[in-house]
DNA sequence: TTGAATTCCTACTAATAAACTAGGATTTCT
DNA sequence: AGAAATCCTAGTTTATTAGTAGGAATTCAA
């Protein structure tokens, strides 16, 4: 499994916030309830997202979280990298330092670089708005403006 | 890190066997020494590769392992899947069963499918012969036939 | 025919990482 | 004042990874 719960739950959170975009702050408890996840765990995940500037928070009663910019401006790759670290297949690709002693000889490293590139091509080409659109398509919801009023 | 030591060491083993292809059986200890890895650990990794038919073994003195077919016929993806299992980002992609309760609504799943596809495109398009070629290119070795005589 | 080299197999252990939980301090609205 | 929320640190539990240990079975070669 490439993604741990950090990445997977984080993506669900961000999708939920994207669906709520423009409607004010959304408390974490609501997100946790909608997705049937532990809100205390989600707390830990949203913290780095806030510190990275992807979401903003409002403290106190009637507070909550919202996206810091519009969904189309947030790439899935950003979210994943913040929560999971890089998805490189081996450390040497990550840090530029060879893992094995035979630095110059290493043909596996070339492979790792290609895998990394393949993954990044996907996750950096998809943004939250794309996922929102997918969400509506999946639910046959043609009336996009009112998409969330029945939730 | 996408690949654990199982996949990474396994790839190195298989590359070593590919470099040795056509020269008879190679004892695991030699592979371990060349790559500075624990031979008892590698034992565990080569077992499933043999059971999957990618390598053949010869027991007893002067025995060892060799590729069951030519390097160009063994895709990197096969090796990785045998040693790591599928590289899917989430279980639902793997088993076809939804992870979350909101099966139909799930937009993250579409993302996971695209990531999976991106990875498979890479690892199934590269075979061991490609890695052997890379290896020789990296080492500026124009005399390919004699590549291993100095090791 | 004996001994060394090797694969093969199962089970165990140690270390690390993942997945949460707990508790409380702080902020803000009503 | 009190409720609703974020924020922060530190635990705990569980699962996975990475590796060891020990020995049985096989085969070559002297
Ligand atoms: S440099 Fe990364 S495995 Fe060799
Ligand atoms: S179906 Fe896989 S996360 Fe929803």
């Amino acid at each position: 499994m490439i993604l741990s719960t950090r990445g997977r739950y984080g993506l669900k959170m961000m999708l939920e916030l994207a669906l709520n975009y423009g409607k004010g702050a959304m408390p974490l408890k609501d997100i946790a309830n909608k997705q049937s996840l532990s809100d205390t765990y989600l707390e830990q995940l949203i913290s780095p997202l806030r510190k990275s500037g992807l979401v903003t928070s409002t403290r106190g009663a009637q507070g909550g979280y919202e996206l810091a910019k519009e969904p189309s401006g947030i790439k899935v790759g950003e979210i994943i990298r913040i929560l999971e670290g890089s998805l490189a297949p081996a450390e040497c690709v990550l840090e530029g330092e060879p893992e094995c002693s035979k630095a110059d000889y290493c043909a596996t490293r070339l492979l790792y670089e290609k895998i990394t590139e393949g993954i990044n091509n996907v996750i950096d080409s998809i943004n939250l708005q794309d996922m929102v659109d997918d969400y509506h398509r999946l639910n046959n919801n043609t009336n996009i403006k009112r998409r969330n009023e029945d939730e």
Side-chain angles (χ1 to χ4, degrees), chain A:
Chain A
M1 219 61 49
I2 285 179
L3 294 178
S4 69
T5 54
R6 288 179 65 88
R8 303 206 304 278
Y9 294 0
L11 283 168
K12 286 184 175 185
M13 264 199 299
M14 291 299 273
L15 174 59
E16 211 63 57
L17 288 177
L19 290 169
N20 196 60
Y21 185 65
K23 298 181 187 170
M26 189 180 193
L28 198 58
K29 224 166 233 172
D30 289 5
I31 301 178
N33 287 343
K34 282 204 183 187
Q35 299 281 350
S36 308
L37 300 173
S38 149
D39 56 319
T40 58
Y41 187 39
L42 290 189
E43 241 186 88
Q44 290 188 13
L45 307 189
I46 207 162
S47 170
L49 293 171
R50 180 181 55 82
K51 283 172 182 161
S52 304
L54 259 46
V55 307
T56 58
S57 63
T58 316
R59 301 184 72 171
Q62 273 65 49
Y65 296 93
E66 52 195 315
L67 295 187
K69 42 189 165 179
E70 51 182 22
S72 63
I74 299 179
K75 289 186 276 191
V76 161
E78 299 180 68
I79 300 169
I80 292 177
R81 273 185 288 269
I82 289 168
L83 291 172
E84 299 273 359
S86 169
L87 289 189
E91 277 169 19
C92 54
V93 178
L94 194 55
E95 304 160 5
E97 281 301 306
E99 160 185 291
C100 60
S101 49
K102 312 190 176 177
D104 301 329
Y105 307 70
C106 195
T108 56
R109 181 167 180 172
L110 291 179
L111 170 67
Y112 299 153
E113 285 166 355
K114 287 173 192 162
I115 294 175
T116 306
E117 197 191 344
I119 294 174
N120 286 340
N121 277 348
V122 175
I123 66 179
D124 286 333
S125 72
I126 299 175
N127 62 49
L128 281 180
Q129 186 61 50
D130 297 328
M131 291 189 66
V132 167
D133 293 344
D134 281 342
Y135 175 90
H136 292 134
R137 231 189 322 272
L138 280 172
N139 292 278
N140 292 325
N141 194 334
T142 49
N143 189 347
I144 290 180
K145 290 296 178 200
R146 303 195 173 185
R147 65 206 176 199
N148 269 328
E149 290 181 357
D150 57 343
E151 288 186 14

